Amino acid sequence: MSVEVVMPKLGMAMKEGTVSIWNKQVGDQVGKGEPIASVSSEKIEIDVESPAEGTLLEIAVPEGEGVPPGAVICYIGNPGEKMAPVNASVQTQEPKGDAESSVKEKPEMSKQVKTGGDRVKISPVARKMAEAGGINISEIQGTGPGGRITKEDVQESLKQSREQKAEEKERDKTALEPAEQAKEMKVSGIRKVIAGRMHDSLQQTAQLTMNMKVDVTELIALQKQTAKTVQNRYENKLTMTDFIARAVVLSLQQHPQMNSAYINETIHFFQHVHLGMAVAVDKGLVVPVIRHSEKCSLVELSRSIKTLAQKARVGQLSNEEMQGSTFTISNLGSYGVEHFTPILNPPESGILGVGAVYETPVFKGEELDKRSILPLSLTFDHRVLDGAPAAAFLQSVKQFLEEPVTMLL
């Protein structure tokens, strides 16, 4: 009997998962533990590994299609082996009835679909494949008993459809000038989620960005002075990002209007600071959340940032670790970017963009001194607060960073 491979549950809140890409095709050999497909939920994308060694007998869920957790997405076994029965827990469309009668009816599962005045005989698997591929079953010539449409008939129809589309696309490309030809990539998985969320953010909020420069010369000196003590006592290294996160948390406590969300024409003010830290990964951008950040010391906050960032880069974040943020920080300083316009992470009211530190001569009284400057960009929702309170929040962040000892008290 073949082995079922099911859609994993990526977090407690997951209702549907999508097959982003198949790494193997029907007939390919697979080893136990070998990645055979990538699946994604709203925020997470992971590889699905084969539970057994064998041949990929059938793909039940094509790329781009969503199914609930536990649904069978493919079968692994030996060529010609009988398919395992579909798990009853995912047959949400089957009517409830007498168990014995259901068993008796299974051999006669050929499903008949009305098309005009005729009825088309088709197996459930073939019907599902046709629906997923957008194939009109009334146009398929069945080769099974009594003209019944089999999965092989659908596969052949899909093959012909793909070939036809490929020919049409090739004709379209030859009609273009060479300079106009472009490589195409279907948007799916995390990239598709990000595209939708960012578009909705700009469409549904009143976003405004203000910039400010912060003198972090003393902060860098404090960071160097405490580096050895922090390493010896806590086995940790405090980064500029850690200090910025601490300054933001303290400022949010002073300016609760920024630690809020606009939901259904109501402003929700949060008692706790759940800080989102944007992390760039290979397939897009994820935002792990440090919950109850106001209860963390500077060292504890630093450890949480590093731990979640590492989990994000290796794809081990859970859905719960990426939900519930009340304010987000996005740092592009490592890329040499100074000022930029971060986009709100709905329904949050604010996001802080952090640029690269640069050195510049600054007058201190009559003296010209070399100072280290940190560019900050605050995007806020103008529906929630106006420019003055937003500027006051940014000013608080600036004061903490320019007087870093206050973050340690």
Side-chain angles (χ1 to χ4, degrees), residues 332-346:
L332 294 180
S334 62
Y335 297 94
V337 175
E338 292 184 5
H339 290 291
F340 63 100
T341 304
I343 300 177
L344 288 176
N345 184 22

Side-chain angles (χ1 to χ4, degrees), residues 35-182:
I36 55 176
S38 293
V39 300
S40 63
S41 64
E42 183 179 353
K43 294 184 177 181
I44 302 177
E45 184 163 5
I46 66 168
D47 289 331
V48 175
E49 299 178 350
S50 175
E53 183 177 350
T55 302
L56 180 56
L57 301 177
E58 180 180 328
I59 293 176
V61 180
E63 293 179 2
E65 182 173 324
V67 292
V72 177
I73 60 173
C74 72
Y75 296 91
I76 304 293
N78 298 318
E81 193 171 28
K82 185 178 180 181
M83 298 293 180
V86 178
N87 192 326
S89 62
V90 300
Q91 294 183 359
T92 56
Q93 303 299 322
E94 290 294 326
K96 296 180 179 179
D98 181 77
E100 184 178 351
S101 62
S102 297
V103 173
K104 291 180 179 178
E105 289 175 3
K106 280 188 177 180
E108 305 296 329
M109 281 183 69
S110 296
K111 197 157 188 175
Q112 296 182 335
V113 183
K114 288 187 177 181
T115 55
D118 301 325
R119 290 179 180 271
V120 177
K121 295 181 178 180
I122 183 171
S123 70
V125 172
R127 180 175 180 274
K128 184 175 182 180
M129 291 173 59
E131 290 176 349
I135 301 296
N136 187 346
I137 60 175
S138 63
E139 298 177 356
I140 302 176
Q141 182 65 43
T143 59
R148 178 175 180 241
I149 298 174
T150 64
K151 67 176 184 180
E152 287 77 13
D153 298 328
V154 177
Q155 288 173 342
E156 180 62 28
S157 180
L158 287 170
K159 179 182 177 182
Q160 294 177 2
S161 177
R162 286 194 296 267
E163 291 175 350
Q164 182 178 353
K165 289 180 180 178
E167 291 176 0
E168 292 174 353
K169 185 178 290 186
E170 191 63 30
R171 285 198 298 268
D172 292 341
K173 285 184 178 180
T174 55
L176 299 174
E177 293 294 328
E180 296 177 333
Q181 296 184 16

